[in-house]
Amino acid sequence: MRIRFGPFVLNLDTRQLTEDNRQIHLTPKAFELLTMLVQDRPKVLSKAALQNRLWPDTFVAEANLSNLVAEIREALRDQAHAPTF
């Protein structure tokens, strides 16, 4: 399954994010988070829901989620103060 947004293609079958056929590296957890956000759009997901889905039955620091969001924003060249996605 391929999901297009802006100039990007998220291929769930091959677990790749591409832009103009150029592969963009994401860590496995960042890819998983991006997949959740894209598949559940336009629904807003709480931090707790995201943490429960990414790290079930595991305690992780809230900073881990923030770090994944920052990684995704960097890969998409998106900015927190003026987001496109």
Side-chain angles (χ1 to χ4, degrees):
M1 175 198 236
R2 292 180 185 199
I3 302 169
R4 293 182 185 277
F5 59 100
F8 303 99
V9 176
L10 186 65
N11 188 323
L12 303 181
D13 297 327
T14 62
R15 295 188 54 85
Q16 292 180 315
L17 174 66
T18 58
E19 179 185 26
D20 298 325
N21 294 320
R22 179 183 63 85
Q23 186 171 344
I24 299 169
H25 175 76
L26 287 176
T27 60
K29 282 293 183 192
F31 187 90
E32 189 177 342
L33 174 58
L34 180 58
T35 299
M36 282 190 285
L37 295 171
V38 169
Q39 287 183 321
D40 288 359
R41 73 186 187 284
K43 186 169 113 178
V44 174
L45 301 171
S46 70
K47 286 182 186 180
L50 292 171
Q51 286 179 323
N52 287 336
R53 287 173 62 181
L54 288 167
W55 298 283
D57 303 319
T58 305
F59 174 79
V60 294
E62 192 172 309
N64 288 350
L65 184 58
S66 297
N67 290 340
L68 292 179
V69 170
E71 179 183 342
I72 293 168
R73 284 193 189 281
E74 183 177 334
L76 301 178
R77 295 182 315 279
D78 203 23
Q79 299 174 351
H81 65 277
T84 301
F85 303 106

